[in-house]
Amino acid sequence: MKKITLFILFLWTIGNYSVSAKITKIEILKQESYQNGRVFGNIGAFVRITGLAYGEVNPFEAHNKIIQDITLAPRNSRGMVEYITEFVMLKPVDMSKSNGLLFYNVPNRGNAYGPDTTLMKRGYVFLWGGWQGDLYGDNKLKIKVPVATQNGKTIMGRLHTEFVVNDPTPTVPLSGTTFTGQFHQPYETASLDPKTARLTRKFNPLDEPIEIPSTEWSFSDCSKGDCVPSTTQLSLRGGFDPNYIYEFQYTAKNPLVLGLGLAATRDIVDFCRYDKSVQNPLAGYVKKSVAIGVSQCGNFLRTFLHLGFNASEKNQIIFDGLNVHVATRKTSVNIRFGRPGGAGLQHEEILFAGNEAPFTWNITTDPLSGTTGGILENCAKQGFLPKIMHTVSSTEYWQMRMSLRTTDVYGKTDLEIPKNVRIYHFASTQHGPAPNENINKITGQSNNTNSFNDSWRALHVALEQWVMEGKNPPASQYPKVADKTLAKSTEIGWQTLPNIPFKGLVDGYTVRDFGKEFQAKWMTGIVHEPAKLIKDKVYTVLVPAVDQDNNEIGGLHTLTRRVPLGTYTGWALRIKGYGEGNLAPLDGYFLPFAKTKAERLVKNDPRLSLEERYGNSEHYVSLVKKAAEEMVKEGLILPEDAEREIKKAENNSLFD
């Protein structure tokens, strides 16, 4: 009798776990006219829908087993792990006018930035879905994920956090103040006893850290005057100083199953694309789908592809195309006590997980780490190779080791790029274009104003046509070893400029050891922090070479780069009081040309002045027009954007 009962239970279990992951319910919270019924070209008005998608995942299904701690999450009566994700959708009121393209935007730290007007006129349906389960703050798209437990018992683990502040501050969150910590809920400390933790500080990222006595700090919140004990805040007597890097090790508790954000992204797009029920606002209308991820979100998409989430549990493709923008690494969304916001820059977070091999889209062998693999490895096995545009600024070369995505680990040979991948480097740009020439207090100079937005927009249209029509986009444009447009940072041809120190400082990379419980290739498992540097295994990181104006030679030249008004860099150095001499986070310089020859000679500036290179406003405008016309023909700027930039040139006061 006992054997029969167990056999029946076994059959029930098998049947129960055969259920596919899916969106079980859509709850519409609000439906409203977008921008008061504004008409977008021939497509007409749009409607904005906000809601909740309830999903569940089979923890034992092959597509989900990679999710860290999925088997330690609570399950419902069907043996499934549940999540609830918030979403926003924009769709034409008249769906017959849509072109059938689902355009998925990965929210950056929960922010669902508004769509581009040009793209709305093309009839896209836009979708944003929460994927990051550790966010806090209002107006953020979030996902509710469970806490992992060990048979109901609290899981604890050692955590490494970093604090780099821009202003003196008495209290910081345990999540950190760098890119990892911003907007993220801290993991609570398991104990308020300072003897269980360690706070250190250092000036340079590779300096030996100096321990700060536990009598000088506490688990508390002193931001409002009186100090109150806190399990999520850290306070330092005298405050945290912008001149230092602070590191903190403590015992955290209650890890979130953040990897469910990968499954939720897969499942909501799968639902919107294939589900025929009345619950789906897009039922029957989606022909193809593409995704765009910027910075943190581009890293998320690289992780999404690498871990095999571009195939549904029914083995249907999720995204036909992707634009991974200003992103070169993977994200730590799928490790225990994961923190998916990290950057791993030269001055910040150099010992955080996320930058491990494989670096490349195609399968390669890294002799330093011993890893063989590629970001598209699982996609190839599944039979779904999406069309990919990888777009980067210059900052990704200086701060995020972009060259390792296109060269061997010694920087000697260019690698073959897969046929389904295009790489575009926006020459002489920074991570996010600066809207004006305001002085950056950390660098003491103007941020880089060379915007890649116009060319990036044109490439969005090219991605649409590549996916929907099979029309090939422009060829890849990025610096290479073979044509000497990619070089060691001290050999790029930089000309000395007055008051601008140049050290050739770049964010290098060394193999790190996070312990035996961490699967570095797949960015999953349990990390033991801080990581140990394997100092004899150092990668060669290269950066773009420059011309006589210190502007980059290779890559895709924007209109501003073709008719420059100064030098535009993807790097900048910190000034005194902010970690002097190290690289600023994601910033570059705009260093304007002198107006006249006399002015530049007084300044000892080797670059030709505006007067010498353009003569007068009319000649400058003619060059802008010519360059804009060439870019329109090349498919690198849309006609309406070209017209706007020409008018801007005509209204300039450069020669007044």
Side-chain angles (χ1 to χ4, degrees), residues 240-259:
F240 293 87
D241 187 335
N243 211 28
Y244 294 98
I245 302 166
Y246 297 87
E247 293 177 297
F248 190 58
Q249 284 92 43
Y250 74 104
T251 301
K253 64 180 182 179
N254 297 327
L256 295 164
V257 187
L258 294 178

Side-chain angles (χ1 to χ4, degrees), residues 346-596:
Q346 179 271 329
H347 185 70
E348 299 152 299
E349 302 177 341
I350 63 167
L351 296 180
F352 281 51
N355 293 282
E356 286 64 45
F359 311 117
T360 53
W361 291 104
N362 52 318
I363 295 177
T364 56
T365 296
D366 171 9
L368 294 178
S369 68
T371 299
T372 295
I375 300 300
L376 294 175
E377 184 174 349
N378 269 319
C379 292
K381 290 178 182 177
Q382 294 161 343
F384 300 132
L385 280 175
K387 295 174 172 64
I388 293 170
M389 286 187 175
H390 192 183
T391 51
V392 295
S393 75
S394 307
T395 305
E396 281 69 65
Y397 282 90
W398 289 88
Q399 279 278 32
M400 300 178 196
R401 318 169 186 99
M402 175 61 195
S403 68
L404 293 176
R405 281 72 193 161
T406 65
T407 74
D408 70 289
V409 299
Y410 304 111
K412 295 183 180 297
T413 307
D414 298 305
L415 300 177
E416 183 179 353
I417 305 301
K419 293 180 180 180
N420 62 308
V421 176
R422 296 291 187 275
I423 299 177
Y424 305 102
H425 160 233
F426 299 117
S428 297
T429 58
Q430 71 174 32
H431 186 76
N436 52 53
E437 299 175 19
N438 291 344
I439 300 298
N440 183 322
K441 71 177 183 180
I442 295 176
T443 69
Q445 300 288 339
S446 298
N447 282 342
N448 187 337
T449 54
N450 179 16
S451 176
F452 50 63
N453 286 337
D454 288 344
S455 291
W456 188 37
R457 184 181 298 110
L459 290 174
H460 285 162
V461 175
L463 178 61
E464 169 214 325
Q465 294 172 338
W466 195 14
V467 166
M468 300 287 283
E469 305 168 19
K471 179 182 177 182
N472 285 328
S476 294
Q477 299 182 40
Y478 61 93
K480 299 180 178 68
V481 174
D483 61 11
K484 299 182 179 180
T485 55
L486 195 64
K488 292 182 178 179
S489 59
T490 53
E491 300 173 1
I492 61 172
W494 180 267
Q495 289 200 84
T496 301
L497 297 180
N499 303 317
I500 300 298
F502 177 76
K503 302 168 58 176
L505 183 61
V506 70
D507 187 16
Y509 193 63
T510 303
V511 175
R512 289 95 53 88
D513 180 3
F514 285 97
K516 294 181 180 179
E517 294 183 280
F518 178 58
Q519 299 178 49
K521 174 179 176 177
W522 299 110
M523 271 296 296
T524 188
I526 302 171
V527 298
H528 291 267
E529 299 175 309
K532 296 178 182 178
L533 292 177
I534 312 302
K535 296 183 179 180
D536 61 339
K537 295 185 177 182
V538 181
Y539 295 85
T540 300
V541 176
L542 306 178
V543 294
V546 299
D547 63 13
Q548 68 276 10
D549 293 324
N550 289 336
N551 284 319
E552 292 168 355
I553 302 169
L556 190 163
H557 288 201
T558 65
L559 186 57
T560 298
R561 168 63 187 90
R562 296 184 186 210
V563 194
L565 299 176
T567 294
Y568 307 88
T569 75
W571 60 272
L573 296 179
R574 292 169 173 267
I575 60 174
K576 186 175 181 180
Y578 296 95
E580 184 176 11
N582 287 302
L583 290 176
L586 298 173
D587 306 314
Y589 290 133
F590 168 54
L591 307 169
F593 298 138
K595 284 195 172 185
T596 65

